Amino acid sequence: MKRIAALFVLLTFSLGFAAAADARPASSGPNGIPAAQQKPGTLLSYEQIGLARNYRATAWRIKYVTRDYKLRPILSTGIVVLPGNAPANPAARKFIAWAHPTTGVAWKCAPSLRATPTKAIGGLNDLVAHGLVVAATDYPGLGTPGPIGYLVGKGQAYAVIDSIRAAKQIPEVGGGNDFGLWGFSQGGHAVLFAAQLAAQYAPELNLKGVAAIAPPTDLATLLKANLNSIAGRILASFTLASWNAKYGAPLTGLLDGVSQQLIDEVSRNCVDDLGSQIDAAAAQKGLDKQFLKADPSRVQPWNGLMVQNSLYALNNRAPALIIQGGADDIVKPEVTTLFVRGACQAGANVQYVMLKGKGHSGAMEAGRVQAVSWLAQRLAGQPARGNCR
């Protein structure tokens, strides 16, 4: 049992809302979204939630409209946190869009549905201390009609960006247009995609910087490299199950019937607490390193989807901070290093920090204070100095 728990340290990857708009529009569109409320970022509802006494902040659980990878309207939920020391003038308030790591691909795995939903927001104490308003998406499909687009770059990026638009519509929040992007693991993948798309998708917002810890970039390489571990097989199961549902990509060329059943069972579990991690580990027992009949990067349409949802460079103008654990067994440091080299060659302003001896969750623990401080400096207007050279 202890061994399983240790392995899953690497993975640290009912809505009773108050109405925010007319509940009876004339017609409805896709996913039951009212036709008059399908604009990206539209806040549909919000509900104040309690925080621990040591937090001088106010928080809400929200539901809002965003877009899927094909730009079709879709619902997402999330959390918004307004620090008590945020600027009194709403127009002066600045935002951080947080993207969470892997919690699972089942509806119940939404962080906002947990008993303490703000616990999933990385570096929240420091973000609040800096007076930054935080918007933390669940991603569509977690807590809302699915399926979740797990590691689907565009869809998760849109949900991250639209969480800022929605947060600004809470009457007590308001806010200016400056924001930063912040994510870990799966969330690092989401915010790097969001950085690429923000200028075109949300031109009214001003992206000041993006910070990512252990972001998956080259998905095909990481998938193959991780199949010999429990965590790797669970993450592969999440990806295969999600893309099969989201894109309609067939599994028959990759898996036999037994493996398909096991992947379905694995995907019913969350991985954001010890009990559910143990259940996921038990569900994958029938899978081994050879459970794939073929390499997805060599089978259509999986090969195209792997490329479509991978990152090989950065072309955004906003500066980036990438933090990587040198002993990470999930997001391999050599893969992240190649990505950073590509970003540097493309002319991106990147600061790359390698934390020697740190594993996947260890990099988050060791790097989050630096990441939040770096983002606060960008939002304060301080210039960023990369270390590409």
Side-chain angles (χ1 to χ4, degrees), residues 41 80 83 330 379:
V80 174
I330 300 297
L379 287 166

Side-chain angles (χ1 to χ4, degrees), residues 19 42 68 79 89 99 113 131 152-153 197-198 200 216 228 240 255 272 280 296 298 300-301 324 338 386 389:
T42 298
D68 71 1
I79 298 292
N89 177 8
L113 294 179
V152 172
L197 300 168
Q200 180 179 3
N228 61 343
L240 295 171
L255 304 169
D272 55 346
R298 298 180 181 273
Q300 294 182 349
Q324 174 66 45
L338 283 175
R389 294 184 180 180

